[in-house]
Amino acid sequence: MSKGIIRLAYRKVINADSQNAWEKYVSDATFQEYLIQSQNYNTDKKYFTFAELRQHVPNADKLHFLVSASVINYLKQLNGKVPDILNNLGKVFLPFKNYKFEIIDSDIRDKSRHRIAVEFISEPLTWIDTVGNLLLVAFTGTVPESNHGILTEMFTMQPFLSIHSLKQEEIYDTAI
Amino acid sequence: MERKSFISGGLAALGFAAIAPFANSCKKDSTTTATSTTTTTSSSSSDSCTITSSETAGPYPTLVPSSYVRSNIVDGQTGVALTIKLTFTNTNNSCAALSGALVDIWHCTALGYYSEYTDTPGGSYASVDYTASHFLRGRQTTDTNGLVTFTSIFPGWYSPRAPHIHVHVYNSAGTSLLITQIAFPTDVCNTVYTTVSPYSDRGVQDTANTVDMVFSDSLANELSTVTGSVSAGYVLTINIGVPA
């Protein structure tokens, strides 16, 4: 009766001019860490932007991983819920454990050009149906309440949110 | 956390990052409602309104340090215990102790691997619960004696290098002062690599310090002193001069 087990991906882009306190902290912390780590790949001080490092310096791609250490403690402040993605009741609801950090670009001369992204991968959900533009899902492992059915959530697909993976179950009857 | 409303009153800097302090004079708004986030502000394709976050504002986020800042960098890695004690002096100041400097170290596992994003099927996602994603990497600030101490494991080796620890020293503002490496006495390595699992799966290093691409011409000032034993653990000490 479901379309399958899905995991959602949400890519949160953070610019240096964000007004949100958490995003500002993340932007500042990752920029400071980038200033430190990029020096490992710019010993002649020839380059200024991350784009230049990626183009000219072998292994500069490691900077995504190296700088990500500065974001981990901020991710823990999210208490395991993907930010920005609200259910139709207006609350964050989407659990995550996995993430990937990415430097989109940066410039050691200009903090305002620092731009990063965190991609959150949700825990598995059962995608039951789509109602209008709302997905109806249930968290896998939800224990059914006696005769009242399973607990579900509803949310809209939105920019930067995608279905990351799909595991289809045997379908007996897709109609609810 | 994507709450749009934060209680006014300013954020005390409850902690500092190990690196340059942030501009922490946060302008606080009163409890105003705003649309949810800075990133997903475009409306959905239908003509329905975008949901605005409407739940109790959590405690505002606190400044937290980079997860590098720790003395114990073992992160669950298997290996012989190694205490690393590095003392830094300023060669531009009559070799006075260099205090307040940031020191990053990193080295490989007992089997010769570094922590990094690995390409896994489904694409290299780290886990926020898995605190050990940056194992064997750490950052400390030198004390008034120019000393930093790390608790780690004895590194393994990988071809074509002699066993080593990477060190990068920065001033307190984060400007690089010195990038260097630390070499290990061969006899200690031979003991560890032949008698302790999992090092013994691979045996002794294939490159001696004397021919190593980094150490062959600078071993005198990059070779550490290592005391101790496999059962009690080892202590590594070295003095490093930095033009600060």
Side-chain angles (χ1 to χ4, degrees):
Chain A
M1 94 149 195
S2 82
K3 296 178 186 301
I5 309 288
I6 58 173
R7 297 183 78 181
L8 298 169
Y10 172 56
R11 185 161 173 268
K12 183 175 174 69
V13 176
I14 296 177
N15 298 319
D17 60 357
S18 171
Q19 294 306 299
N20 173 282
W22 185 86
E23 290 173 22
K24 258 192 176 96
Y25 281 171
V26 168
S27 182
D28 285 351
T30 55
F31 183 66
Q32 295 299 328
E33 190 65 50
Y34 176 77
L35 290 178
I36 285 184
Q37 296 292 346
S38 60
Q39 293 176 86
N40 285 305
Y41 296 92
N42 194 22
T43 47
D44 293 338
K45 302 187 204 242
K46 275 163 62 173
Y47 304 115
F48 302 103
T49 67
F50 182 54
E52 285 174 311
L53 290 185
R54 292 187 65 189
Q55 191 179 356
H56 295 113
V57 182
N59 296 323
D61 264 4
K62 288 208 155 93
L63 281 167
H64 299 296
F65 166 76
L66 293 172
V67 175
S68 71
S70 59
V71 82
I72 290 174
N73 287 328
Y74 286 107
L75 293 180
K76 290 183 178 174
Q77 293 178 339
L78 300 175
N79 295 318
K81 294 281 174 14
V82 178
D84 310 336
I85 304 302
L86 311 177
N87 62 15
N88 212 33
L89 300 178
K91 296 179 140 193
V92 288
F93 74 102
L94 191 57
F96 82 98
K97 290 194 172 125
N98 298 106
Y99 70 94
K100 183 192 248 182
F101 172 82
E102 176 194 346
I103 303 165
I104 296 175
D105 204 353
S106 196
D107 186 333
I108 58 176
R109 301 163 297 191
D110 185 358
K111 184 177 173 180
S112 71
R113 295 189 51 188
H114 184 68
R115 206 159 177 237
I116 58 114
V118 179
E119 189 176 328
F120 300 88
I121 303 297
S122 80
E123 291 298 278
L125 312 174
T126 304
W127 178 18
I128 300 164
D129 201 353
T130 304
V131 181
N133 66 339
L134 293 160
L135 269 66
L136 174 69
V137 299
F139 294 118
T140 54
T142 302
V143 177
E145 293 181 13
S146 51
N147 294 321
H148 299 292
I150 57 174
L151 296 178
T152 57
E153 290 273 15
M154 300 188 89
F155 66 97
T156 53
M157 288 309 285
Q158 53 197 271
F160 296 92
L161 182 64
S162 181
I163 294 177
H164 170 72
S165 64
L166 168 68
K167 183 176 176 211
Q168 287 183 312
E169 304 178 313
E170 291 177 33
I171 296 171
Y172 297 106
D173 183 0
T174 52
I176 292 187
Chain B
M1 308 213 282
E2 301 325 300
R3 311 293 170 271
K4 70 315 190 205
S5 50
F6 289 99
I7 314 290
S8 64
L11 275 167
L14 296 178
F16 287 103
I19 35 199
F22 309 145
N24 51 15
S25 53
C26 242
K27 297 185 292 295
K28 297 321 295 164
D29 298 332
S30 54
T31 322
T32 46
T33 0
T35 48
S36 41
T37 71
T38 55
T39 53
T40 52
T41 50
S42 49
S43 54
S44 58
S45 53
S46 77
D47 56 7
S48 59
C49 314
T50 26
I51 291 282
T52 301
S53 174
S54 43
E55 55 183 311
T56 310
Y60 29 71
T62 55
L63 282 173
V64 286
S66 169
S67 63
Y68 286 130
V69 180
R70 69 264 178 79
S71 182
N72 188 321
I73 61 174
V74 175
D75 273 342
Q77 288 297 312
T78 304
V80 175
L82 179 69
T83 301
I84 300 169
K85 293 174 108 55
L86 311 177
T87 302
F88 295 89
T89 55
N90 187 349
T91 57
N92 286 344
N93 187 20
S94 314
C95 295
L98 181 67
S99 63
L102 300 176
V103 178
D104 280 3
I105 70 163
W106 63 101
H107 65 78
C108 68
T109 64
L111 295 175
Y113 299 109
Y114 287 92
S115 55
E116 58 184 345
Y117 279 154
T118 47
D119 276 317
T120 54
S124 59
Y125 290 93
S127 167
V128 72
D129 282 345
Y130 179 57
T131 55
S133 54
H134 291 77
F135 50 82
L136 307 178
R137 296 179 185 267
R139 174 176 297 158
Q140 290 285 282
T141 302
T142 56
D143 66 11
T144 49
N145 296 316
L147 174 67
V148 292
T149 304
F150 292 93
T151 300
S152 188
I153 60 159
F154 204 97
W157 59 273
Y158 55 91
S159 201
R161 296 292 324 277
H164 59 279
I165 294 176
H166 294 269
V167 181
H168 195 153
V169 187
Y170 305 86
N171 67 15
S172 56
T175 303
S176 175
L177 298 175
L178 177 71
I179 302 177
T180 188
Q181 297 185 29
I182 299 170
F184 283 75
T186 308
D187 54 350
V188 180
C189 292
N190 289 345
T191 301
V192 174
Y193 295 158
T194 55
T195 63
V196 186
S197 179
Y199 307 91
S200 50
D201 297 350
R202 302 183 64 228
V204 297
Q205 62 270 23
D206 68 358
T207 307
N209 287 336
T210 46
V211 300
D212 180 75
M213 64 176 76
V214 169
F215 298 133
S216 56
D217 60 352
S218 53
L219 193 54
N221 59 26
E222 285 168 338
L223 180 64
S224 60
T225 302
V226 178
T227 58
S229 64
V230 166
S231 51
Y234 289 99
V235 178
L236 178 155
T237 53
I238 187 171
N239 290 331
I240 298 177
V242 178

